[in-house]
Short mmCIF file of all heavy atoms in Angstrom, two decimals:
data_model
loop_
_atom_site.label_atom_id
_atom_site.label_comp_id
_atom_site.label_asym_id
_atom_site.label_seq_id
_atom_site.Cartn_x
_atom_site.Cartn_y
_atom_site.Cartn_z
N THR O 85 -66.23 -21.96 -11.83
CA THR O 85 -67.61 -21.85 -12.30
C THR O 85 -68.41 -20.93 -11.38
O THR O 85 -69.20 -20.10 -11.86
CB THR O 85 -68.27 -23.23 -12.36
OG1 THR O 85 -67.52 -24.09 -13.22
CG2 THR O 85 -69.69 -23.13 -12.88
N ALA O 86 -68.20 -21.07 -10.08
CA ALA O 86 -68.89 -20.22 -9.11
C ALA O 86 -68.47 -18.76 -9.27
O ALA O 86 -69.30 -17.84 -9.16
CB ALA O 86 -68.60 -20.70 -7.69
N MET O 87 -67.19 -18.51 -9.55
CA MET O 87 -66.71 -17.14 -9.73
C MET O 87 -67.34 -16.49 -10.95
O MET O 87 -67.84 -15.36 -10.89
CB MET O 87 -65.18 -17.14 -9.84
CG MET O 87 -64.47 -17.55 -8.56
SD MET O 87 -62.69 -17.82 -8.80
CE MET O 87 -62.16 -16.15 -9.22
N LEU O 88 -67.32 -17.20 -12.07
CA LEU O 88 -67.94 -16.66 -13.29
C LEU O 88 -69.44 -16.50 -13.12
O LEU O 88 -70.03 -15.50 -13.55
CB LEU O 88 -67.63 -17.59 -14.46
CG LEU O 88 -66.18 -17.65 -14.92
CD1 LEU O 88 -66.00 -18.74 -15.98
CD2 LEU O 88 -65.72 -16.31 -15.47
N GLY O 89 -70.06 -17.49 -12.47
CA GLY O 89 -71.50 -17.40 -12.22
C GLY O 89 -71.85 -16.25 -11.30
O GLY O 89 -72.89 -15.60 -11.46
N GLY O 90 -70.98 -15.96 -10.33
CA GLY O 90 -71.22 -14.84 -9.42
C GLY O 90 -71.18 -13.50 -10.15
O GLY O 90 -72.02 -12.63 -9.91
N VAL O 91 -70.22 -13.34 -11.04
CA VAL O 91 -70.14 -12.10 -11.82
C VAL O 91 -71.36 -11.97 -12.72
O VAL O 91 -71.95 -10.88 -12.85
CB VAL O 91 -68.84 -12.09 -12.66
CG1 VAL O 91 -68.84 -10.91 -13.63
CG2 VAL O 91 -67.63 -12.01 -11.75
N LEU O 92 -71.78 -13.06 -13.33
CA LEU O 92 -72.97 -13.03 -14.18
C LEU O 92 -74.20 -12.67 -13.36
O LEU O 92 -75.04 -11.88 -13.81
CB LEU O 92 -73.16 -14.39 -14.85
CG LEU O 92 -74.20 -14.46 -15.97
CD1 LEU O 92 -73.73 -15.41 -17.07
CD2 LEU O 92 -75.55 -14.95 -15.45
N ALA O 93 -74.31 -13.22 -12.16
CA ALA O 93 -75.47 -12.91 -11.30
C ALA O 93 -75.48 -11.44 -10.89
O ALA O 93 -76.55 -10.81 -10.85
CB ALA O 93 -75.45 -13.81 -10.07
N LEU O 94 -74.30 -10.88 -10.61
CA LEU O 94 -74.23 -9.46 -10.26
C LEU O 94 -74.65 -8.58 -11.43
O LEU O 94 -75.38 -7.60 -11.26
CB LEU O 94 -72.81 -9.11 -9.81
CG LEU O 94 -72.37 -9.64 -8.45
CD1 LEU O 94 -70.90 -9.31 -8.20
CD2 LEU O 94 -73.23 -9.05 -7.33
N GLY O 95 -74.19 -8.94 -12.63
CA GLY O 95 -74.59 -8.19 -13.82
C GLY O 95 -76.09 -8.28 -14.06
O GLY O 95 -76.74 -7.29 -14.41
N ALA O 96 -76.65 -9.47 -13.84
CA ALA O 96 -78.09 -9.66 -14.03
C ALA O 96 -78.89 -8.86 -13.01
O ALA O 96 -79.90 -8.24 -13.33
CB ALA O 96 -78.43 -11.14 -13.94
N ALA O 97 -78.43 -8.87 -11.76
CA ALA O 97 -79.12 -8.13 -10.70
C ALA O 97 -79.09 -6.63 -10.99
O ALA O 97 -80.10 -5.92 -10.82
CB ALA O 97 -78.48 -8.43 -9.35
N GLY O 98 -77.93 -6.12 -11.44
CA GLY O 98 -77.83 -4.71 -11.77
C GLY O 98 -78.77 -4.32 -12.89
O GLY O 98 -79.44 -3.28 -12.83
N ALA O 99 -78.83 -5.14 -13.94
CA ALA O 99 -79.71 -4.84 -15.07
C ALA O 99 -81.17 -4.95 -14.66
O ALA O 99 -82.02 -4.19 -15.14
CB ALA O 99 -79.41 -5.81 -16.21
N TRP O 100 -81.48 -5.89 -13.76
CA TRP O 100 -82.86 -6.08 -13.30
C TRP O 100 -83.34 -4.84 -12.55
O TRP O 100 -84.41 -4.29 -12.85
CB TRP O 100 -82.93 -7.31 -12.42
CG TRP O 100 -84.29 -7.57 -11.83
CD1 TRP O 100 -84.89 -6.88 -10.82
CD2 TRP O 100 -85.22 -8.58 -12.22
NE1 TRP O 100 -86.13 -7.40 -10.54
CE2 TRP O 100 -86.36 -8.45 -11.39
CE3 TRP O 100 -85.19 -9.60 -13.17
CZ2 TRP O 100 -87.46 -9.29 -11.49
CZ3 TRP O 100 -86.29 -10.44 -13.26
CH2 TRP O 100 -87.40 -10.28 -12.44
N PHE O 101 -82.55 -4.39 -11.57
CA PHE O 101 -82.99 -3.26 -10.74
C PHE O 101 -82.89 -1.94 -11.50
O PHE O 101 -83.65 -1.01 -11.21
CB PHE O 101 -82.16 -3.21 -9.46
CG PHE O 101 -82.46 -4.33 -8.51
CD1 PHE O 101 -81.54 -5.34 -8.28
CD2 PHE O 101 -83.68 -4.40 -7.86
CE1 PHE O 101 -81.81 -6.38 -7.41
CE2 PHE O 101 -83.98 -5.44 -6.99
CZ PHE O 101 -83.05 -6.44 -6.76
N PHE O 135 -64.48 -13.33 -17.78
CA PHE O 135 -65.17 -12.49 -16.80
C PHE O 135 -65.93 -11.36 -17.49
O PHE O 135 -67.03 -10.99 -17.06
CB PHE O 135 -64.16 -11.92 -15.80
CG PHE O 135 -63.86 -12.83 -14.66
CD1 PHE O 135 -62.59 -13.39 -14.52
CD2 PHE O 135 -64.82 -13.14 -13.71
CE1 PHE O 135 -62.31 -14.24 -13.46
CE2 PHE O 135 -64.55 -13.99 -12.65
CZ PHE O 135 -63.29 -14.54 -12.52
N TYR O 137 -67.25 -11.53 -20.45
CA TYR O 137 -68.46 -12.17 -20.98
C TYR O 137 -69.51 -12.32 -19.89
O TYR O 137 -70.70 -12.04 -20.11
CB TYR O 137 -68.12 -13.54 -21.56
CG TYR O 137 -69.34 -14.43 -21.72
CD1 TYR O 137 -70.15 -14.34 -22.84
CD2 TYR O 137 -69.69 -15.36 -20.72
CE1 TYR O 137 -71.28 -15.12 -22.97
CE2 TYR O 137 -70.81 -16.15 -20.86
CZ TYR O 137 -71.61 -16.03 -21.98
OH TYR O 137 -72.74 -16.81 -22.09
N ALA O 138 -69.09 -12.80 -18.73
CA ALA O 138 -70.04 -13.03 -17.63
C ALA O 138 -70.75 -11.74 -17.24
O ALA O 138 -71.97 -11.73 -17.01
CB ALA O 138 -69.31 -13.64 -16.43
N ALA O 139 -70.00 -10.63 -17.18
CA ALA O 139 -70.60 -9.36 -16.80
C ALA O 139 -71.58 -8.86 -17.86
O ALA O 139 -72.71 -8.44 -17.55
CB ALA O 139 -69.50 -8.33 -16.56
N VAL O 140 -71.16 -8.92 -19.12
CA VAL O 140 -72.00 -8.42 -20.21
C VAL O 140 -73.22 -9.31 -20.42
O VAL O 140 -74.34 -8.82 -20.58
CB VAL O 140 -71.17 -8.32 -21.52
CG1 VAL O 140 -72.07 -8.00 -22.70
CG2 VAL O 140 -70.08 -7.27 -21.37
N GLU O 141 -73.00 -10.61 -20.40
CA GLU O 141 -74.12 -11.54 -20.58
C GLU O 141 -75.08 -11.44 -19.41
O GLU O 141 -76.29 -11.64 -19.57
CB GLU O 141 -73.60 -12.96 -20.72
CG GLU O 141 -74.62 -13.96 -21.23
CD GLU O 141 -75.00 -13.74 -22.68
OE1 GLU O 141 -74.32 -12.95 -23.36
OE2 GLU O 141 -75.97 -14.38 -23.14
N GLY O 142 -74.57 -11.12 -18.22
CA GLY O 142 -75.43 -10.93 -17.08
C GLY O 142 -76.41 -9.79 -17.29
O GLY O 142 -77.58 -9.87 -16.88
N VAL O 143 -75.95 -8.72 -17.94
CA VAL O 143 -76.84 -7.60 -18.26
C VAL O 143 -77.98 -8.06 -19.16
O VAL O 143 -79.15 -7.73 -18.93
CB VAL O 143 -76.04 -6.47 -18.93
CG1 VAL O 143 -76.99 -5.37 -19.43
CG2 VAL O 143 -75.02 -5.88 -17.97
N PHE O 144 -77.65 -8.86 -20.17
CA PHE O 144 -78.69 -9.36 -21.06
C PHE O 144 -79.66 -10.28 -20.33
O PHE O 144 -80.88 -10.15 -20.48
CB PHE O 144 -78.05 -10.12 -22.23
CG PHE O 144 -79.04 -10.85 -23.09
CD1 PHE O 144 -79.93 -10.15 -23.89
CD2 PHE O 144 -79.10 -12.23 -23.08
CE1 PHE O 144 -80.85 -10.82 -24.68
CE2 PHE O 144 -80.01 -12.91 -23.86
CZ PHE O 144 -80.90 -12.20 -24.67
N VAL O 145 -79.13 -11.19 -19.54
CA VAL O 145 -79.98 -12.14 -18.81
C VAL O 145 -80.91 -11.40 -17.85
O VAL O 145 -82.11 -11.70 -17.76
CB VAL O 145 -79.12 -13.17 -18.06
CG1 VAL O 145 -79.98 -14.01 -17.11
CG2 VAL O 145 -78.40 -14.08 -19.04
N GLY O 146 -80.36 -10.41 -17.12
CA GLY O 146 -81.18 -9.65 -16.19
C GLY O 146 -82.27 -8.86 -16.88
O GLY O 146 -83.42 -8.81 -16.41
N ALA O 147 -81.92 -8.24 -18.01
CA ALA O 147 -82.90 -7.42 -18.73
C ALA O 147 -84.01 -8.27 -19.33
O ALA O 147 -85.19 -7.93 -19.22
CB ALA O 147 -82.18 -6.63 -19.83
N SER O 149 -84.92 -11.26 -18.41
CA SER O 149 -85.69 -11.87 -17.33
C SER O 149 -86.70 -10.88 -16.76
O SER O 149 -87.86 -11.24 -16.48
CB SER O 149 -84.75 -12.35 -16.22
OG SER O 149 -83.86 -13.34 -16.68
N VAL O 164 -85.39 -20.79 -13.32
CA VAL O 164 -84.19 -21.14 -12.54
C VAL O 164 -84.30 -22.57 -12.02
O VAL O 164 -83.35 -23.36 -12.13
CB VAL O 164 -84.00 -20.16 -11.37
CG1 VAL O 164 -82.90 -20.66 -10.42
CG2 VAL O 164 -83.63 -18.77 -11.88
N VAL O 269 -70.71 -22.43 -17.83
CA VAL O 269 -71.49 -21.20 -17.66
C VAL O 269 -72.23 -20.84 -18.93
O VAL O 269 -73.41 -20.49 -18.90
CB VAL O 269 -70.56 -20.04 -17.21
CG1 VAL O 269 -71.31 -18.70 -17.25
CG2 VAL O 269 -70.04 -20.29 -15.81
N VAL O 273 -76.35 -20.68 -19.24
CA VAL O 273 -77.05 -19.46 -19.65
C VAL O 273 -77.98 -19.77 -20.82
O VAL O 273 -79.15 -19.36 -20.85
CB VAL O 273 -76.05 -18.36 -20.03
CG1 VAL O 273 -76.77 -17.20 -20.72
CG2 VAL O 273 -75.32 -17.85 -18.80
#
Side-chain angles (χ1 to χ4, degrees):
T85 302
M87 293 170 65
L88 292 173
V91 172
L92 191 144
L94 288 175
W100 178 286
F101 290 110
F135 275 113
Y137 162 84
V140 172
E141 194 69 12
V143 173
F144 171 69
V145 170
S149 298
V164 170
V269 170
V273 169

